[in-house]
Amino acid sequence: MSENTKNKKQTYNEPFLSVEDLSKALYESNNKLSGLITEQNEFFSNISHDLRSPIAAIRSAIEYLQSSDDIDNKKRSELYTLINSKALSLEYMINEIFVLTKLSTSDNLLKPSVVPCGNYLEDFFFMTELNPRYENMQLILDVPLEFAWNIEIDTNYMNRALDNLFENAWRHTFGNGRITLGARLSVDEKHVIISVSDNGEGIEKENLPRIFERTFMSDSSRNPGSMQGAGLGLSICKMIIELSGGYIECTSKTGSDHGTTFTITLPIC
């Protein structure tokens, strides 16, 4: 036996982890994988349910139009309006699923650039004001005049995240509705904190921990009304914020002092 072979045998090291540690790690990995599979199955179950509903409505309307020759113009117009509305809902849901899939599978989807936070928020706010959806609501811009801190974001995707928050506020805010877009500097002066607040109906306390989950089924996180969807807006928003190096939180109250505030924390460049 050569001297080199003897040295190799002598320098053999036992595994750093014990059998017990390895077993524990394997057990935890299996539990995590099982949880992900369960979440994925629940997600696809929810999506299939949400897609079937408008499809069934469209098919029913078409079958009614095909089976009746004496439908008056008013009824026919109502059916066409229903078909168009449900088709828009399908388009909206498919687009949400597509965006969520892209965000989940691509590491380089966002193309960030450095922008002044105050100027960016002002531009977004004034463009949002032009949306007819908000013509009967009070929109407030609460950003300091000289808020020149720079942030690194993909403005197209950040616009989508803020759009989702404004739309969420619009869906759950009724008479004398008010939505406020604000910004401030964090206490440590290393982050900007962007907020979207409303005086809407609020979110029940027990639902708050789950509102960003893509599988959450509560009405408070889904899309009631004319543009029904799969409730993925807040999940998409959260992913965009996290891919931008930040995080998002929500506080909300129901009852007489009702309202909801979403806060986005982003690092300063």
Side-chain angles (χ1 to χ4, degrees):
M1 182 181 295
S2 68
E3 189 66 29
N4 288 337
T5 304
K6 289 181 180 179
N7 290 337
K8 285 182 181 179
K9 287 187 176 181
Q10 290 172 355
T11 58
Y12 171 77
N13 293 320
E14 293 184 0
F16 179 74
L17 294 175
S18 66
V19 174
E20 182 181 352
D21 290 333
L22 289 170
S23 298
K24 182 179 178 181
L26 182 59
Y27 175 76
E28 291 174 351
S29 297
N30 285 337
N31 280 346
K32 185 176 180 180
L33 180 60
S34 177
L36 290 173
I37 293 173
T38 300
E39 181 181 346
Q40 185 182 54
N41 290 339
E42 186 179 353
F43 170 67
F44 284 118
S45 175
N46 293 346
I47 290 298
S48 63
H49 174 272
D50 289 329
L51 291 174
R52 283 197 300 267
S53 179
I55 290 174
I58 291 172
R59 291 187 62 183
S60 296
I62 292 174
E63 288 173 0
Y64 184 78
L65 286 167
Q66 290 176 333
S67 63
S68 305
D69 296 327
D70 56 346
I71 303 175
D72 59 52
N73 290 335
K74 181 181 177 182
K75 183 66 174 177
R76 191 179 298 274
S77 177
E78 290 175 351
L79 290 170
Y80 287 144
T81 300
L82 172 66
I83 292 172
N84 183 63
S85 173
K86 296 303 180 181
L88 287 174
S89 292
L90 277 174
E91 182 181 19
Y92 177 81
M93 281 189 281
I94 292 169
N95 184 47
E96 278 194 319
I97 296 168
F98 178 64
V99 171
L100 188 64
T101 302
K102 287 201 301 181
L103 290 169
S104 301
T105 57
S106 176
D107 294 331
N108 301 310
L109 184 63
L110 273 62
K111 306 299 180 185
S113 60
V114 177
V115 298
C117 184
N119 292 347
Y120 164 72
L121 292 176
E122 287 178 7
D123 290 343
F124 173 84
F125 180 84
F126 293 129
M127 287 298 296
T128 302
E129 271 193 322
L130 300 177
N131 191 330
R133 171 182 294 164
Y134 304 106
E135 61 183 359
N136 295 321
M137 300 194 71
Q138 181 184 8
L139 299 187
I140 301 171
L141 180 64
D142 184 21
V143 178
L145 190 60
E146 297 296 331
F147 199 75
W149 307 100
N150 288 335
I151 53 176
E152 189 174 14
I153 57 172
D154 183 317
T155 54
N156 290 327
Y157 277 96
M158 189 60 66
N159 285 349
R160 184 179 186 107
L162 291 176
D163 276 334
N164 281 339
L165 295 181
F166 265 72
E167 184 179 332
N168 188 74
W170 169 74
R171 286 197 308 269
H172 300 288
T173 303
F174 311 107
N176 299 317
R178 183 178 68 251
I179 304 176
T180 302
L181 176 63
R184 57 185 171 87
L185 191 63
S186 65
V187 175
D188 62 8
E189 298 187 351
K190 295 181 179 179
H191 301 81
V192 297
I193 299 175
I194 302 168
S195 60
V196 177
S197 306
D198 64 64
N199 62 339
E201 60 186 339
I203 303 170
E204 296 294 339
K205 184 177 180 179
E206 62 269 20
N207 290 335
L208 274 176
R210 297 197 62 199
I211 59 172
F212 295 109
E213 295 179 13
R214 67 184 69 178
T215 56
F216 186 46
M217 292 289 290
S218 171
D219 290 340
S220 63
S221 74
R222 299 176 78 78
N223 295 296
S226 58
M227 187 63 74
Q228 298 212 353
L232 300 178
L234 291 179
S235 298
I236 291 171
C237 182
K238 182 175 184 287
M239 292 191 70
I240 291 171
I241 302 305
E242 290 179 348
L243 289 171
S244 302
Y247 60 91
I248 183 170
E249 298 174 302
C250 178
T251 58
S252 188
K253 292 182 179 180
T254 56
S256 58
D257 187 24
H258 51 77
T260 300
T261 298
F262 288 90
T263 54
I264 298 169
T265 301
L266 294 169
I268 292 173
C269 291

